[in-house]
Coordinates of all heavy atoms in Angstrom, one line a residue:
K1 N -15.0 -31.5 -31.5 CA -13.6 -31.6 -32.1 C -13.8 -31.4 -33.6 O -13.6 -32.2 -34.4 CB -13.0 -32.9 -31.9 CG -12.1 -33.0 -30.6 CD -11.4 -34.3 -30.7 CE -10.1 -34.1 -30.0 NZ -9.3 -35.4 -29.8
A2 N -14.1 -30.2 -34.0 CA -14.3 -29.9 -35.4 C -12.9 -29.9 -36.1 O -11.9 -29.6 -35.5 CB -14.9 -28.5 -35.5
Q3 N -12.9 -30.4 -37.3 CA -11.7 -30.5 -38.1 C -10.6 -31.3 -37.5 O -9.5 -31.0 -37.7 CB -11.2 -29.1 -38.6 CG -12.3 -28.4 -39.3 CD -11.7 -27.1 -39.8 OE1 -10.6 -26.7 -39.5 NE2 -12.5 -26.4 -40.7
S4 N -10.9 -32.3 -36.8 CA -9.9 -33.2 -36.1 C -9.1 -33.9 -37.2 O -7.9 -34.4 -37.0 CB -10.5 -34.2 -35.1 OG -11.3 -35.0 -35.8
W5 N -9.6 -34.1 -38.4 CA -8.9 -34.7 -39.5 C -7.7 -33.9 -40.0 O -6.8 -34.5 -40.6 CB -9.8 -35.1 -40.6 CG -10.6 -33.9 -41.1 CD1 -11.8 -33.4 -40.7 CD2 -10.1 -33.0 -42.2 NE1 -12.1 -32.2 -41.4 CE2 -11.1 -31.9 -42.3 CE3 -9.0 -32.9 -43.0 CZ2 -11.0 -30.9 -43.2 CZ3 -8.9 -31.8 -43.8 CH2 -9.8 -30.8 -44.0
L6 N -7.7 -32.6 -39.7 CA -6.6 -31.8 -40.2 C -5.7 -31.5 -39.0 O -6.1 -30.7 -38.1 CB -7.1 -30.5 -40.7 CG -6.1 -29.5 -41.3 CD1 -5.3 -30.2 -42.4 CD2 -6.7 -28.3 -41.8
S7 N -4.5 -32.1 -38.9 CA -3.6 -31.8 -37.8 C -2.1 -31.9 -38.4 O -1.9 -32.2 -39.5 CB -3.8 -32.9 -36.8 OG -3.3 -34.1 -37.3
L8 N -1.2 -31.5 -37.5 CA 0.2 -31.6 -38.0 C 0.6 -32.9 -38.3 O 1.4 -33.1 -39.2 CB 1.1 -30.9 -36.8 CG 0.9 -29.4 -36.6 CD1 1.8 -29.0 -35.5 CD2 1.2 -28.7 -37.9
S9 N 0.1 -33.9 -37.7 CA 0.5 -35.3 -38.1 C 0.0 -35.7 -39.4 O 0.6 -36.6 -40.0 CB -0.1 -36.2 -37.0 OG -1.4 -36.3 -37.0
T10 N -1.1 -35.1 -39.9 CA -1.5 -35.5 -41.3 C -1.0 -34.5 -42.3 O -0.9 -34.8 -43.4 CB -3.1 -35.5 -41.3 OG1 -3.5 -34.2 -41.0 CG2 -3.6 -36.5 -40.4
L11 N -0.4 -33.4 -41.8 CA 0.1 -32.3 -42.8 C 1.4 -32.8 -43.4 O 1.6 -32.7 -44.6 CB 0.2 -31.0 -42.1 CG 0.7 -29.9 -42.9 CD1 -0.3 -29.6 -44.1 CD2 0.8 -28.6 -42.1
A12 N 2.3 -33.4 -42.6 CA 3.6 -33.8 -43.2 C 3.5 -34.7 -44.3 O 4.1 -34.6 -45.3 CB 4.5 -34.2 -42.1
P13 N 2.7 -35.8 -44.1 CA 2.6 -36.8 -45.2 C 1.9 -36.2 -46.4 O 2.3 -36.6 -47.6 CB 1.7 -37.9 -44.6 CG 1.9 -37.8 -43.1 CD 2.1 -36.3 -42.8
A14 N 1.0 -35.3 -46.2 CA 0.3 -34.7 -47.3 C 1.3 -33.9 -48.1 O 1.2 -33.8 -49.4 CB -0.9 -33.8 -46.9
L15 N 2.1 -33.0 -47.5 CA 3.1 -32.2 -48.1 C 4.1 -33.1 -48.8 O 4.6 -32.8 -50.0 CB 3.8 -31.3 -47.1 CG 3.0 -30.2 -46.5 CD1 3.7 -29.4 -45.4 CD2 2.5 -29.2 -47.6
A16 N 4.5 -34.2 -48.2 CA 5.4 -35.2 -48.9 C 4.9 -35.7 -50.2 O 5.5 -35.8 -51.2 CB 5.8 -36.3 -48.0
K17 N 3.6 -36.0 -50.2 CA 2.9 -36.5 -51.4 C 2.8 -35.5 -52.4 O 3.0 -35.7 -53.6 CB 1.5 -37.0 -51.0 CG 1.4 -38.4 -50.3 CD 0.0 -38.7 -50.0 CE -0.1 -40.1 -49.3 NZ -1.5 -40.5 -49.0
A18 N 2.5 -34.2 -52.1 CA 2.4 -33.1 -53.0 C 3.8 -32.9 -53.6 O 3.9 -32.7 -54.8 CB 1.9 -31.9 -52.3
Q19 N 4.8 -32.9 -52.8 CA 6.2 -32.7 -53.3 C 6.6 -33.8 -54.3 O 7.0 -33.5 -55.4 CB 7.2 -32.8 -52.2 CG 8.7 -32.8 -52.6 CD 9.6 -33.0 -51.4 OE1 9.3 -32.8 -50.3 NE2 10.8 -33.2 -51.8
A20 N 6.3 -35.1 -54.0 CA 6.6 -36.2 -54.9 C 5.8 -36.0 -56.2 O 6.4 -36.3 -57.3 CB 6.3 -37.5 -54.2
Y21 N 4.5 -35.6 -56.1 CA 3.7 -35.4 -57.3 C 4.3 -34.4 -58.2 O 4.5 -34.5 -59.4 CB 2.3 -35.1 -56.9 CG 1.4 -34.8 -58.1 CD1 0.9 -35.9 -58.8 CD2 1.2 -33.5 -58.4 CE1 0.1 -35.6 -59.9 CE2 0.3 -33.3 -59.6 CZ -0.1 -34.3 -60.3 OH -0.9 -34.0 -61.4
L22 N 4.6 -33.2 -57.6 CA 5.1 -32.1 -58.4 C 6.4 -32.4 -59.0 O 6.7 -32.0 -60.2 CB 5.2 -30.8 -57.5 CG 4.0 -30.1 -57.2 CD1 4.1 -29.0 -56.1 CD2 3.2 -29.6 -58.4
E23 N 7.3 -33.0 -58.2 CA 8.6 -33.4 -58.8 C 8.5 -34.4 -60.0 O 9.4 -34.4 -60.8 CB 9.5 -33.8 -57.7 CG 10.0 -32.8 -56.8 CD 10.8 -33.2 -55.6 OE1 10.7 -34.4 -55.1 OE2 11.8 -32.4 -55.2
A24 N 7.5 -35.3 -59.9 CA 7.4 -36.3 -60.9 C 6.7 -35.8 -62.2 O 6.8 -36.5 -63.2 CB 6.7 -37.5 -60.4
Q25 N 6.1 -34.7 -62.1 CA 5.3 -34.2 -63.2 C 6.2 -33.4 -64.2 O 7.1 -32.8 -63.9 CB 4.2 -33.3 -62.7 CG 3.2 -33.9 -61.9 CD 2.5 -35.1 -62.6 OE1 2.0 -35.1 -63.7 NE2 2.6 -36.2 -61.9
S26 N 5.8 -33.6 -65.5 CA 6.4 -32.8 -66.6 C 5.3 -32.5 -67.5 O 4.4 -33.4 -67.8 CB 7.5 -33.6 -67.2 OG 8.1 -32.9 -68.3
S27 N 5.2 -31.3 -68.0 CA 4.1 -31.0 -68.9 C 4.6 -30.1 -70.0 O 5.5 -29.2 -69.9 CB 3.1 -30.1 -68.0 OG 2.0 -29.7 -68.9
S28 N 4.0 -30.4 -71.2 CA 4.3 -29.6 -72.4 C 3.4 -28.3 -72.3 O 3.6 -27.4 -73.1 CB 4.0 -30.4 -73.6 OG 2.7 -30.8 -73.7
D29 N 2.4 -28.3 -71.4 CA 1.5 -27.2 -71.3 C 2.3 -26.0 -70.5 O 2.7 -26.2 -69.4 CB 0.3 -27.5 -70.5 CG -0.8 -26.4 -70.4 OD1 -0.3 -25.3 -69.8 OD2 -1.8 -26.6 -70.8
S30 N 2.5 -24.9 -71.2 CA 3.4 -23.8 -70.6 C 2.7 -23.3 -69.3 O 3.5 -23.0 -68.3 CB 3.5 -22.6 -71.6 OG 4.1 -23.1 -72.7
Y31 N 1.5 -23.2 -69.2 CA 0.9 -22.6 -68.0 C 1.1 -23.6 -66.8 O 1.5 -23.1 -65.7 CB -0.6 -22.5 -68.3 CG -1.4 -21.9 -67.0 CD1 -1.3 -20.6 -66.7 CD2 -2.3 -22.7 -66.3 CE1 -2.0 -20.1 -65.6 CE2 -2.9 -22.1 -65.2 CZ -2.8 -20.9 -64.9 OH -3.5 -20.3 -63.8
V32 N 0.9 -24.9 -67.0 CA 1.2 -25.8 -66.0 C 2.6 -25.8 -65.6 O 2.9 -25.9 -64.3 CB 0.8 -27.3 -66.5 CG1 1.1 -28.3 -65.4 CG2 -0.8 -27.3 -66.7
A33 N 3.5 -25.8 -66.5 CA 4.9 -25.8 -66.2 C 5.4 -24.5 -65.4 O 6.1 -24.6 -64.5 CB 5.8 -25.8 -67.5
L34 N 4.8 -23.4 -65.7 CA 5.1 -22.1 -65.0 C 4.5 -22.2 -63.5 O 5.2 -21.9 -62.6 CB 4.5 -20.9 -65.6 CG 5.2 -20.4 -66.9 CD1 4.3 -19.5 -67.7 CD2 6.5 -19.9 -66.6
L35 N 3.3 -22.7 -63.3 CA 2.8 -22.9 -62.0 C 3.6 -23.9 -61.2 O 3.8 -23.7 -60.0 CB 1.3 -23.3 -62.1 CG 0.4 -22.2 -62.5 CD1 -1.1 -22.7 -62.6 CD2 0.4 -21.0 -61.6
R36 N 4.0 -25.0 -61.8 CA 4.8 -26.0 -61.2 C 6.1 -25.5 -60.7 O 6.5 -25.7 -59.6 CB 4.9 -27.2 -62.1 CG 5.8 -28.2 -61.6 CD 5.9 -29.4 -62.7 NE 7.0 -30.4 -62.3 CZ 8.2 -30.4 -62.7 NH1 8.6 -29.4 -63.5 NH2 9.1 -31.3 -62.3
A37 N 6.7 -24.8 -61.6 CA 8.1 -24.2 -61.2 C 7.9 -23.2 -60.0 O 8.7 -23.2 -59.1 CB 8.7 -23.4 -62.4
H38 N 6.8 -22.4 -60.1 CA 6.6 -21.4 -59.0 C 6.4 -22.2 -57.6 O 6.9 -21.8 -56.6 CB 5.5 -20.6 -59.4 CG 5.2 -19.4 -58.3 ND1 6.1 -18.4 -58.1 CD2 4.1 -19.2 -57.5 CE1 5.6 -17.6 -57.2 NE2 4.5 -18.1 -56.8
A39 N 5.6 -23.2 -57.7 CA 5.2 -24.0 -56.5 C 6.5 -24.7 -55.9 O 6.6 -24.7 -54.7 CB 4.1 -25.1 -56.8
L40 N 7.3 -25.2 -56.8 CA 8.5 -25.9 -56.3 C 9.5 -25.0 -55.7 O 10.2 -25.3 -54.7 CB 9.1 -26.7 -57.5 CG 8.3 -27.9 -57.9 CD1 8.9 -28.4 -59.2 CD2 8.4 -29.0 -56.8
V41 N 9.5 -23.7 -56.2 CA 10.5 -22.7 -55.6 C 9.9 -22.3 -54.2 O 10.6 -22.2 -53.2 CB 10.6 -21.5 -56.5 CG1 11.2 -20.3 -55.7 CG2 11.5 -21.9 -57.7
L42 N 8.6 -22.1 -54.2 CA 8.0 -21.6 -52.9 C 8.2 -22.7 -51.8 O 8.4 -22.4 -50.7 CB 6.5 -21.4 -53.1 CG 6.2 -20.1 -53.8 CD1 4.6 -19.9 -54.0 CD2 6.7 -18.8 -53.1
A43 N 8.1 -24.0 -52.3 CA 8.3 -25.1 -51.3 C 9.7 -25.3 -50.9 O 10.0 -26.2 -50.1 CB 7.6 -26.3 -51.9
G44 N 10.6 -24.6 -51.7 CA 12.1 -24.8 -51.3 C 12.7 -26.1 -52.0 O 13.7 -26.5 -51.6
L45 N 11.9 -26.7 -52.9 CA 12.4 -27.8 -53.6 C 13.3 -27.6 -54.8 O 14.0 -28.5 -55.3 CB 11.2 -28.7 -54.0 CG 10.3 -29.1 -52.8 CD1 9.0 -29.7 -53.3 CD2 11.1 -29.9 -51.8
W46 N 13.1 -26.4 -55.5 CA 14.0 -26.0 -56.5 C 14.6 -24.7 -56.2 O 14.1 -23.9 -55.4 CB 13.1 -25.7 -57.7 CG 12.7 -26.8 -58.7 CD1 12.9 -28.2 -58.4 CD2 12.2 -26.8 -60.0 NE1 12.5 -28.9 -59.4 CE2 12.0 -28.1 -60.4 CE3 11.8 -25.8 -60.8 CZ2 11.5 -28.4 -61.7 CZ3 11.2 -26.1 -62.0 CH2 11.1 -27.4 -62.5
D47 N 15.8 -24.5 -56.7 CA 16.5 -23.2 -56.5 C 15.9 -22.2 -57.5 O 15.3 -22.6 -58.5 CB 18.0 -23.3 -56.4 CG 18.6 -23.7 -57.8 OD1 18.1 -23.3 -58.8 OD2 19.6 -24.4 -57.7
K48 N 16.2 -20.9 -57.3 CA 15.6 -19.9 -58.2 C 16.1 -20.0 -59.6 O 15.4 -19.7 -60.6 CB 15.9 -18.5 -57.6 CG 15.1 -18.3 -56.3 CD 15.6 -17.1 -55.6 CE 14.9 -17.0 -54.2 NZ 15.4 -15.9 -53.4
D49 N 17.4 -20.4 -59.8 CA 17.9 -20.5 -61.2 C 17.3 -21.7 -61.9 O 17.1 -21.6 -63.1 CB 19.4 -20.7 -61.1 CG 20.2 -19.4 -60.8 OD1 19.8 -18.4 -61.4 OD2 21.1 -19.4 -60.1
Q50 N 17.0 -22.7 -61.2 CA 16.3 -23.9 -61.8 C 15.0 -23.5 -62.3 O 14.5 -23.8 -63.5 CB 16.2 -25.1 -60.8 CG 15.7 -26.3 -61.4 CD 15.8 -27.4 -60.4 OE1 16.1 -27.2 -59.2 NE2 15.4 -28.6 -60.8
A51 N 14.2 -22.8 -61.5 CA 12.9 -22.2 -62.0 C 13.0 -21.3 -63.1 O 12.2 -21.4 -64.1 CB 12.1 -21.5 -60.8
A52 N 14.0 -20.4 -63.0 CA 14.2 -19.4 -64.1 C 14.4 -20.2 -65.5 O 13.9 -19.8 -66.6 CB 15.3 -18.5 -63.8
T53 N 15.3 -21.2 -65.4 CA 15.6 -22.0 -66.6 C 14.4 -22.6 -67.2 O 14.2 -22.6 -68.3 CB 16.7 -23.0 -66.3 OG1 17.9 -22.3 -65.8 CG2 17.0 -23.8 -67.5
E54 N 13.5 -23.2 -66.3 CA 12.3 -23.8 -66.7 C 11.4 -22.8 -67.4 O 10.8 -23.1 -68.5 CB 11.6 -24.5 -65.5 CG 10.3 -25.1 -65.8 CD 10.3 -26.3 -66.6 OE1 11.4 -26.9 -66.9 OE2 9.2 -26.7 -67.1
V55 N 11.2 -21.7 -66.8 CA 10.2 -20.7 -67.4 C 10.8 -20.1 -68.7 O 10.0 -19.8 -69.6 CB 9.8 -19.6 -66.4 CG1 9.1 -20.2 -65.2 CG2 10.9 -18.7 -66.0
L56 N 12.1 -19.9 -68.8 CA 12.6 -19.5 -70.1 C 12.4 -20.5 -71.1 O 12.2 -20.2 -72.3 CB 14.2 -19.2 -69.9 CG 14.5 -17.9 -69.2 CD1 16.0 -17.8 -68.9 CD2 14.1 -16.7 -70.1
S57 N 12.4 -21.8 -70.8 CA 12.3 -22.8 -71.8 C 10.9 -22.8 -72.3 O 10.6 -23.3 -73.5 CB 12.6 -24.2 -71.3 OG 11.6 -24.6 -70.4
K58 N 9.9 -22.2 -71.6 CA 8.6 -22.2 -72.1 C 8.2 -20.8 -72.7 O 7.0 -20.6 -73.1 CB 7.6 -22.4 -70.9 CG 7.8 -23.7 -70.2 CD 7.6 -24.8 -71.1 CE 7.7 -26.2 -70.5 NZ 7.5 -27.3 -71.4
S59 N 9.2 -19.9 -72.8 CA 8.9 -18.6 -73.4 C 9.1 -18.6 -74.8 O 9.7 -19.5 -75.4 CB 9.7 -17.5 -72.6 OG 11.1 -17.7 -73.1
S60 N 8.6 -17.5 -75.5 CA 8.9 -17.3 -76.8 C 9.5 -15.8 -77.0 O 9.3 -15.0 -76.1 CB 7.6 -17.3 -77.6 OG 6.9 -18.6 -77.5
T61 N 10.1 -15.6 -78.1 CA 10.7 -14.3 -78.3 C 10.2 -13.8 -79.7 O 10.1 -14.6 -80.6 CB 12.2 -14.3 -78.2 OG1 12.7 -15.2 -79.1 CG2 12.7 -14.5 -76.8
R62 N 10.1 -12.6 -79.8 CA 9.8 -11.9 -81.1 C 10.7 -10.6 -81.0 O 10.4 -9.7 -80.3 CB 8.4 -11.5 -81.2 CG 8.0 -10.9 -82.6 CD 6.6 -10.6 -82.8 NE 5.8 -11.9 -82.8 CZ 4.6 -12.0 -82.4 NH1 3.9 -10.9 -81.9 NH2 4.0 -13.1 -82.4
G63 N 11.7 -10.7 -81.8 CA 12.7 -9.6 -81.8 C 13.3 -9.5 -80.5 O 13.9 -10.5 -80.0
L64 N 13.3 -8.4 -79.8 CA 13.9 -8.3 -78.5 C 13.0 -8.6 -77.3 O 13.3 -8.4 -76.2 CB 14.4 -6.8 -78.3 CG 15.5 -6.3 -79.3 CD1 15.8 -4.9 -79.1 CD2 16.7 -7.2 -79.2
Y65 N 11.7 -9.0 -77.7 CA 10.7 -9.1 -76.7 C 10.5 -10.5 -76.3 O 10.5 -11.5 -77.2 CB 9.4 -8.5 -77.1 CG 9.5 -7.0 -77.4 CD1 9.6 -6.6 -78.7 CD2 9.6 -6.1 -76.4 CE1 9.8 -5.2 -78.9 CE2 9.7 -4.8 -76.6 CZ 9.8 -4.3 -77.9 OH 10.0 -3.0 -78.1
R66 N 10.2 -10.8 -75.0 CA 10.0 -12.2 -74.5 C 8.5 -12.2 -74.0 O 8.0 -11.3 -73.4 CB 11.0 -12.5 -73.4 CG 10.7 -13.9 -72.8 CD 11.8 -14.2 -71.8 NE 13.2 -14.1 -72.3 CZ 13.8 -15.0 -73.1 NH1 13.1 -16.1 -73.5 NH2 15.0 -14.8 -73.5
Y67 N 7.9 -13.3 -74.3 CA 6.5 -13.4 -73.8 C 6.2 -15.0 -73.5 O 6.9 -15.8 -74.0 CB 5.5 -12.8 -74.8 CG 5.5 -13.5 -76.1 CD1 4.6 -14.4 -76.4 CD2 6.5 -13.1 -77.0 CE1 4.6 -15.1 -77.7 CE2 6.5 -13.7 -78.3 CZ 5.6 -14.6 -78.6 OH 5.5 -15.3 -79.9
W68 N 5.1 -15.2 -72.8 CA 4.6 -16.5 -72.6 C 3.2 -16.5 -73.2 O 2.4 -15.6 -72.9 CB 4.6 -16.9 -71.1 CG 6.0 -17.1 -70.6 CD1 6.7 -18.3 -70.4 CD2 7.0 -16.1 -70.2 NE1 7.9 -18.1 -69.9 CE2 8.1 -16.8 -69.8 CE3 6.9 -14.7 -70.1 CZ2 9.2 -16.1 -69.3 CZ3 8.1 -14.1 -69.6 CH2 9.2 -14.8 -69.2
S69 N 2.9 -17.6 -73.9 CA 1.5 -17.7 -74.5 C 1.1 -19.1 -74.3 O 1.8 -20.0 -74.6 CB 1.6 -17.3 -76.0 OG 0.3 -17.3 -76.5
H70 N -0.2 -19.2 -73.9 CA -0.8 -20.6 -73.9 C -1.2 -20.9 -75.3 O -1.7 -20.1 -76.0 CB -2.1 -20.5 -72.9 CG -2.5 -21.8 -72.5 ND1 -3.5 -22.5 -73.2 CD2 -2.1 -22.6 -71.5 CE1 -3.7 -23.7 -72.6 NE2 -2.8 -23.8 -71.5
S71 N -1.1 -22.2 -75.6 CA -1.4 -22.7 -76.9 C -2.8 -22.4 -77.4 O -3.1 -22.2 -78.5 CB -1.1 -24.2 -77.0 OG -2.0 -24.9 -76.1
S72 N -3.8 -22.3 -76.4 CA -5.2 -22.0 -76.8 C -5.4 -20.6 -77.1 O -6.5 -20.2 -77.5 CB -6.1 -22.5 -75.7 OG -5.9 -21.7 -74.6
T73 N -4.4 -19.7 -76.9 CA -4.7 -18.3 -77.1 C -3.7 -17.7 -78.1 O -3.6 -16.5 -78.3 CB -4.4 -17.5 -75.8 OG1 -3.1 -17.7 -75.4 CG2 -5.4 -17.9 -74.7
E74 N -3.1 -18.6 -79.0 CA -2.3 -18.1 -80.0 C -3.0 -17.0 -80.9 O -4.1 -17.1 -81.3 CB -1.8 -19.2 -81.0 CG -0.8 -20.1 -80.4 CD 0.5 -19.4 -80.1 OE1 1.0 -18.6 -80.8 OE2 1.1 -19.8 -79.0
G75 N -2.3 -15.9 -81.1 CA -2.7 -14.8 -81.9 C -3.7 -13.9 -81.2 O -4.1 -12.9 -81.8
E76 N -4.1 -14.1 -80.0 CA -5.0 -13.3 -79.3 C -4.3 -12.9 -77.9 O -3.6 -13.7 -77.4 CB -6.3 -14.0 -79.0 CG -7.0 -14.5 -80.1 CD -8.3 -15.2 -79.8 OE1 -8.9 -14.9 -78.7 OE2 -8.6 -16.2 -80.4
V77 N -4.6 -11.7 -77.4 CA -4.2 -11.3 -76.1 C -5.2 -11.8 -75.1 O -6.4 -11.4 -75.2 CB -4.0 -9.9 -76.0 CG1 -3.6 -9.4 -74.5 CG2 -2.8 -9.4 -77.0
K78 N -4.8 -12.6 -74.2 CA -5.8 -13.2 -73.2 C -5.2 -13.0 -71.8 O -4.0 -12.9 -71.6 CB -6.0 -14.7 -73.5 CG -6.6 -15.0 -74.8 CD -8.0 -14.7 -74.8 CE -8.7 -15.2 -76.1 NZ -10.1 -15.1 -76.1
T79 N -6.1 -13.0 -70.9 CA -5.7 -12.9 -69.5 C -4.7 -13.9 -69.0 O -3.8 -13.7 -68.2 CB -6.9 -12.8 -68.5 OG1 -7.7 -14.0 -68.7 CG2 -7.7 -11.6 -68.8
L80 N -4.9 -15.2 -69.5 CA -4.0 -16.3 -69.2 C -2.5 -16.0 -69.6 O -1.6 -16.3 -68.9 CB -4.5 -17.6 -69.9 CG -3.8 -18.9 -69.4 CD1 -3.9 -19.1 -67.9 CD2 -4.4 -20.0 -70.2
D81 N -2.4 -15.4 -70.8 CA -1.0 -15.0 -71.3 C -0.4 -14.0 -70.3 O 0.7 -14.0 -70.0 CB -1.1 -14.4 -72.7 CG -1.5 -15.5 -73.7 OD1 -1.7 -16.7 -73.3 OD2 -1.8 -15.1 -74.8
I82 N -1.2 -13.0 -69.8 CA -0.8 -12.0 -68.9 C -0.3 -12.6 -67.6 O 0.7 -12.3 -67.0 CB -1.8 -10.9 -68.7 CG1 -2.0 -10.2 -70.1 CG2 -1.4 -9.9 -67.6 CD1 -3.2 -9.3 -70.1
E83 N -1.2 -13.5 -67.1 CA -0.8 -14.3 -65.9 C 0.5 -15.0 -66.0 O 1.3 -15.0 -65.1 CB -2.0 -15.2 -65.5 CG -1.7 -15.9 -64.2 CD -2.8 -16.9 -63.8 OE1 -3.9 -16.9 -64.5 OE2 -2.7 -17.7 -62.9
M84 N 0.6 -15.7 -67.2 CA 1.8 -16.5 -67.4 C 3.1 -15.6 -67.4 O 4.1 -15.9 -66.9 CB 1.7 -17.3 -68.7 CG 0.7 -18.4 -68.6 SD 0.3 -19.2 -70.2 CE 1.9 -19.7 -70.7
T85 N 2.9 -14.5 -68.1 CA 4.0 -13.5 -68.2 C 4.4 -13.1 -66.8 O 5.6 -12.9 -66.4 CB 3.7 -12.4 -69.1 OG1 3.5 -12.9 -70.4 CG2 4.9 -11.4 -69.2
G86 N 3.4 -12.9 -65.9 CA 3.7 -12.5 -64.5 C 4.5 -13.5 -63.8 O 5.4 -13.2 -63.1
Y87 N 4.1 -14.8 -63.9 CA 4.9 -15.9 -63.3 C 6.3 -15.9 -63.9 O 7.3 -16.2 -63.2 CB 4.2 -17.2 -63.5 CG 3.1 -17.4 -62.5 CD1 1.7 -17.5 -62.9 CD2 3.3 -17.5 -61.2 CE1 0.7 -17.7 -62.0 CE2 2.3 -17.7 -60.2 CZ 1.0 -17.8 -60.7 OH 0.0 -17.9 -59.8
G88 N 6.4 -15.8 -65.2 CA 7.7 -15.8 -65.9 C 8.6 -14.6 -65.3 O 9.8 -14.9 -65.0
L89 N 8.1 -13.5 -65.2 CA 8.8 -12.3 -64.7 C 9.2 -12.5 -63.2 O 10.3 -12.1 -62.8 CB 7.9 -11.0 -64.8 CG 7.9 -10.4 -66.2 CD1 6.8 -9.3 -66.2 CD2 9.2 -9.8 -66.5
L90 N 8.3 -13.1 -62.4 CA 8.6 -13.3 -61.0 C 9.8 -14.4 -60.9 O 10.7 -14.1 -60.2 CB 7.3 -13.9 -60.4 CG 7.5 -14.3 -58.9 CD1 7.8 -13.0 -58.1 CD2 6.2 -14.9 -58.4
A91 N 9.8 -15.4 -61.7 CA 10.9 -16.3 -61.6 C 12.2 -15.7 -62.0 O 13.2 -15.9 -61.4 CB 10.5 -17.6 -62.5
L92 N 12.1 -14.9 -63.1 CA 13.4 -14.3 -63.6 C 13.9 -13.3 -62.6 O 15.1 -13.2 -62.4 CB 13.2 -13.7 -64.9 CG 12.8 -14.7 -66.1 CD1 12.4 -14.0 -67.4 CD2 14.0 -15.7 -66.3
T93 N 13.1 -12.4 -62.0 CA 13.6 -11.4 -61.2 C 14.0 -12.0 -59.8 O 15.0 -11.6 -59.2 CB 12.5 -10.3 -60.8 OG1 11.3 -10.9 -60.4 CG2 12.2 -9.5 -62.1
L94 N 13.3 -13.1 -59.3 CA 13.8 -13.7 -58.1 C 15.2 -14.4 -58.3 O 16.0 -14.4 -57.4 CB 12.8 -14.8 -57.7 CG 11.5 -14.3 -57.1 CD1 10.6 -15.5 -56.8 CD2 11.7 -13.6 -55.8
A95 N 15.5 -14.8 -59.5 CA 16.8 -15.4 -59.8 C 17.8 -14.3 -60.3 O 18.9 -14.6 -60.7 CB 16.6 -16.4 -60.9
D96 N 17.5 -13.1 -60.1 CA 18.3 -11.9 -60.6 C 18.8 -12.0 -62.0 O 19.8 -11.6 -62.3 CB 19.6 -11.8 -59.6 CG 19.2 -11.4 -58.2 OD1 18.3 -10.6 -58.1 OD2 19.9 -11.9 -57.3
R97 N 17.9 -12.5 -62.8 CA 18.1 -12.6 -64.3 C 17.4 -11.4 -64.9 O 16.5 -11.6 -65.7 CB 17.7 -13.9 -64.8 CG 18.7 -15.0 -64.2 CD 18.3 -16.4 -64.5 NE 18.6 -16.8 -65.8 CZ 18.6 -18.1 -66.2 NH1 18.4 -19.1 -65.4 NH2 18.9 -18.3 -67.5
L98 N 17.8 -10.2 -64.6 CA 17.0 -9.1 -64.9 C 17.1 -8.7 -66.4 O 16.1 -8.2 -67.0 CB 17.5 -7.8 -64.1 CG 17.4 -8.0 -62.6 CD1 17.8 -6.8 -61.9 CD2 15.9 -8.3 -62.2
G99 N 18.2 -9.0 -67.0 CA 18.3 -8.8 -68.5 C 17.2 -9.5 -69.3 O 16.6 -9.0 -70.2
E100 N 17.0 -10.8 -68.9 CA 16.0 -11.6 -69.5 C 14.5 -11.1 -69.1 O 13.7 -11.2 -69.9 CB 16.1 -13.1 -69.2 CG 17.4 -13.6 -69.9 CD 18.0 -14.8 -69.2 OE1 18.2 -14.7 -67.9 OE2 18.4 -15.8 -69.8
A101 N 14.4 -10.7 -67.8 CA 13.2 -10.2 -67.4 C 12.7 -8.9 -68.1 O 11.6 -8.7 -68.5 CB 13.2 -10.0 -65.9
F102 N 13.7 -8.0 -68.3 CA 13.4 -6.8 -69.0 C 12.9 -7.0 -70.4 O 12.2 -6.1 -71.0 CB 14.6 -5.8 -69.0 CG 14.9 -5.3 -67.7 CD1 16.2 -5.0 -67.3 CD2 13.9 -4.8 -66.8 CE1 16.5 -4.4 -66.1 CE2 14.2 -4.2 -65.6 CZ 15.4 -4.1 -65.2
Q103 N 13.2 -8.1 -71.0 CA 12.7 -8.4 -72.4 C 11.2 -8.5 -72.4 O 10.6 -8.5 -73.4 CB 13.3 -9.7 -72.9 CG 14.8 -9.6 -73.2 CD 15.4 -10.9 -73.7 OE1 15.0 -12.0 -73.2 NE2 16.2 -10.8 -74.7
A104 N 10.6 -8.9 -71.2 CA 9.2 -9.2 -71.1 C 8.4 -7.9 -70.6 O 7.1 -8.0 -70.5 CB 8.9 -10.3 -70.2
V105 N 9.0 -6.8 -70.4 CA 8.3 -5.6 -69.9 C 8.4 -4.5 -70.9 O 9.2 -4.5 -71.8 CB 8.7 -5.2 -68.6 CG1 8.3 -6.1 -67.5 CG2 10.2 -4.9 -68.5

């Protein structure tokens, strides 16, 4: 009986704990906030507009351009910033907020 510890009866409580944890968390770290918003939408716990609003609150603008930057990479282009921008674009396009999404491309 390999992996008998992983069953449907243990999955539901684990998902409930994960949900409670994610919903209770708040982070000033932009990367964590973007991943959290994405996870909550995928789990069906947030609607797409709620996630879009969250990711917009973590974005910065320069002129007409929108971007996401991790505090540890200020002034440098880093792969983390590119990943964050991808999550931001994903949230905005899923919520049909294309005007704001186009600012980041």
Side-chain angles (χ1 to χ4, degrees):
K1 265 189 151 177
Q3 297 184 357
S4 62
W5 55 270
L6 182 61
S7 67
L8 291 178
S9 64
T10 60
L11 183 59
L15 290 174
K17 285 181 183 180
Q19 174 184 346
Y21 176 81
L22 285 172
E23 289 179 324
Q25 296 305 305
S26 178
S27 178
S28 61
D29 184 302
S30 297
Y31 182 74
V32 172
L34 288 166
L35 289 178
R36 177 180 170 264
H38 185 66
L40 288 168
V41 166
L42 287 178
L45 303 173
W46 275 12
D47 65 38
K48 295 171 185 172
D49 282 319
Q50 189 174 4
T53 300
E54 175 71 10
V55 301
L56 281 171
S57 75
K58 301 300 182 181
S59 71
S60 300
T61 55
R62 182 176 296 147
L64 298 175
Y65 301 101
R66 179 173 308 282
Y67 62 96
W68 288 263
S69 180
H70 196 267
S71 59
S72 67
T73 62
E74 286 295 323
E76 301 177 35
V77 176
K78 298 284 187 174
T79 56
L80 189 58
D81 295 350
I82 295 167
E83 180 182 352
M84 290 171 58
T85 299
Y87 281 114
L89 283 169
L90 180 62
L92 294 173
T93 55
L94 287 174
D96 291 323
R97 294 171 76 167
L98 300 180
E100 291 154 312
F102 286 143
Q103 291 177 319
V105 290

